[in-house]
Amino acid sequence: QVQLAESGGGLVQAGGSLRLSCAASGSMFSINEMDWYRQTPGNQRELVASITSGGNTNYADSVKGRFTISIDNAKKTVYLQMNSLKPDDTAVYYCYCNARYMYGSTYRNYWGQGTQVTVSS
């Protein structure tokens, strides 16, 4: 089993920055992709940014130019640098990992518990 530990959420003023971290732990697993999602009450969970183990990235249009996702393969940790934060960035942010047993072929999905990001106006 893979466990995801998130950190870095908090309260920030509009225009400020936060850096989220998500460390994947377990044994004998290989990461294919790690993503950040976010969700507000009454809304669907939406994809914010994704990155493959090879470093290929994708972003939601709403965060392009402001957020940067990166991965440290040795640490099995994904980061989300959030700059120029806006009040509508306020949400619970969830880390996602798609991974497989190191010597297997079946990829599985794992989710973090979520971390609150609040941006004040």
Side-chain angles (χ1 to χ4, degrees):
Q1 198 81 279
V2 175
Q3 294 81 43
L4 302 178
E6 298 160 312
S7 62
L11 175 65
V12 66
Q13 192 83 8
S17 298
L18 285 173
R19 188 192 190 210
L20 305 183
S21 299
C22 176
S25 62
S27 62
M28 305 293 284
F29 67 94
S30 178
I31 295 171
N32 176 55
E33 174 181 323
M34 295 188 77
D35 304 344
W36 287 98
Y37 286 74
R38 67 187 182 188
Q39 187 172 28
T40 56
N43 293 297
Q44 296 290 322
R45 190 171 297 184
E46 66 172 344
L47 178 65
V48 177
S50 65
I51 188 167
T52 67
S53 61
N56 296 316
T57 61
N58 285 288
Y59 297 92
D61 288 341
S62 60
V63 307
K64 284 182 179 177
R66 299 189 298 119
F67 291 10
T68 302
I69 189 170
S70 60
I71 191 167
D72 185 326
N73 287 300
K75 296 181 179 179
K76 297 188 185 300
T77 299
V78 66
Y79 305 93
L80 186 67
Q81 179 66 47
M82 304 185 293
N83 298 326
S84 302
L85 283 161
K86 306 174 181 179
D88 58 3
D89 292 320
T90 295
V92 177
Y93 283 70
Y94 295 90
C95 179
Y96 161 89
C97 177
N98 180 250
R100 62 170 173 83
Y101 175 64
M102 186 174 292
Y103 304 108
S105 60
T106 301
Y107 284 87
R108 302 184 187 278
N109 301 324
Y110 303 92
W111 291 92
Q113 79 285 355
T115 184
Q116 178 70 45
V117 171
T118 302
V119 184
S120 62
S121 61

